[in-house]
Amino acid sequence: MEYELRRQLSPETKVYFPGNISYNDATIRWNGGMRPDFVAVVVPTTNQDVATTVKYANKHHIPFLAVNRGHGSSLDLNKLRRGLNIYIHNLDSISIALDGEYAVLGGGVYADPLIKTLAEKGKVAGVAGAGLGGGFGRYQGLYGLVADNFLEMTVVIADGSVVTVNDRQNSDLFWAMRGAGHNFGIVTSYKYKIYDSIATWYTVNYQYTHDKPDDVFTELNRLNNNGRQPKEVITYAVFAFNPSISDKPVIIVAIWYAGPESSALRYTQPFLDLQPASFSNQTVPYADLADAVGTGVNSPVCQPGMGAASSPVGIQNFNTTTNRQVYDLYSDLVTKHPEFKGSVVQFEGYPMQKVQSVDSASTAYAHRDDNLLVSLQAIYAPSSISDDIAPQYGHQIRDLFHAGDRPDWPLNAYVNYAYGDETLEQMYGHEGWRIQKLRALKKKWDPYGRLNWYHPIQ
């Protein structure tokens, strides 16, 4: 392999094998419970290198997987054995158009350098990986999902061909890439609509003891206002274990506001009035926001190697009775199984105005009617026992949320968080025409299932 593949690639492209430290860096994943097996890592420097590697893999019947930061989690990843890791992190170019209307970005660009580079120009954009499954973000109330702002992509498809996709060229594939893209190709570059950033953000964090969940979620429902919360406001709440506050799980509420503190107070003051056990706040430039709220590239939550299992469900409103049941089940998890004390139940509230103004049929992303996203994020040291415990609790919590919201409606699972045992309909939409279309496109663009390692359409 080493000689035959290397001689077909550009001189700058690297190929690493097990035992090489660079191989280890390229194959470690954020979720240590997802363990695809690779015989080699190819680090391409051009989209043609990606295409060549795919053709080589197909010729020799070797499975392949494109990898950037390694954050994707799906049970299907564990099915990949003796494959090629196409490590695209060197495809990281960032070029802003002279008119400031769009940027052309490499498929290996990730959030931290993209945010900081564009912030210098007063702009914002989204990363390809999240956008392939929809892509929530702090600006979505103003600008929509990441998927809604792709203008064009250069994609290496399953047979190794390089194609351009947009509204005019290969428009059927462009539709599929925006919501189910992991099934259809490797994005080597993309043209993306960019927007003016909001320079200053105000963040506030409250921690409440176990006796406050009803009051907290009543206030969160008022602020969310059935998906019509102010476009500048994002809420993120969790049940978490924090022994410095209490020996019982606490309720943490974070509010991120796109603007100054003075404008945010009308939304944040009611949560202070609930008398939290702990309170902190700060004003930061947008470029530093991820680090400030604990989701930056160097934040503990983003470090690789721990086991993780997510069981998401989209809902309309917070049900206080359900949330108490979920609190009790989460408390049972971290009490009986202390190895899960780093886990959280998370409640994400993004403004949905712009997202829901987009025709649901215009992209493969289906779940635009969900106002909130909730899930157990089980975090633990990987082991066969914990790998079994995590989904047991996760699915129970997911089912409680669903039963307490719209039990007569089908369950929606955000594909970027999905565990991997959900149905196609739960991940990609319950409309018959939508699944039929996705299956037809899969048959057209990937007839042999070469791209079946992340929530595959089958």
Side-chain angles (χ1 to χ4, degrees), residues 140-161:
Q140 72 175 50
L142 297 166
Y143 308 137
L145 298 172
V146 174
D148 298 332
N149 291 288
F150 288 122
L151 300 174
E152 184 174 285
M153 301 178 189
T154 301
V155 180
V156 176
I157 58 174
D159 68 0
S161 301

Side-chain angles (χ1 to χ4, degrees), residues 29 69 110-111 123 176 181 215 258 289 299 397 442:
R29 299 193 67 83
R69 298 292 293 173
Y110 64 96
K123 297 291 184 178
D215 293 339
L289 180 62
S299 301
I397 286 173
K442 182 70 170 177

Side-chain angles (χ1 to χ4, degrees), residues 373-431:
L373 180 61
V374 292
S375 62
L376 171 69
Q377 294 290 326
I379 307 296
Y380 55 94
S383 73
S384 58
I385 295 175
S386 296
D387 286 346
D388 290 337
I389 292 171
Q392 291 174 17
Y393 277 87
H395 293 1
Q396 288 182 69
I397 286 173
R398 178 194 65 191
D399 293 344
L400 280 172
F401 279 131
H402 181 234
D405 183 54
R406 297 177 294 176
D408 297 331
W409 285 53
L411 187 149
N412 294 337
Y414 180 43
V415 69
N416 285 350
Y417 286 9
Y419 180 65
D421 60 355
E422 297 88 350
T423 67
L424 283 183
E425 290 79 7
Q426 288 170 345
M427 292 187 289
Y428 295 113
H430 297 274
E431 308 99 318

Side-chain angles (χ1 to χ4, degrees), residues 225-303:
N225 191 23
N226 290 308
R228 297 185 298 274
Q229 71 189 49
K231 297 176 183 180
E232 302 83 6
V233 175
I234 297 94
T235 64
Y236 178 76
V238 296
F239 294 153
F241 186 75
N242 183 357
S244 69
I245 298 293
S246 173
D247 58 357
K248 296 181 179 180
V250 299
I251 306 102
I252 302 174
V253 176
I255 298 176
W256 309 327
Y257 182 80
E261 178 181 0
S262 58
S263 300
L265 288 178
R266 60 185 294 195
Y267 309 116
T268 60
Q269 184 62 42
F271 293 90
L272 188 60
D273 293 342
L274 295 178
Q275 298 181 323
S278 170
F279 163 78
S280 62
N281 62 341
Q282 59 182 320
T283 298
V284 296
Y286 178 67
D288 299 334
L289 180 62
D291 293 327
V293 300
T295 59
V297 66
N298 295 314
S299 301
V301 71
C302 290
Q303 301 316 299

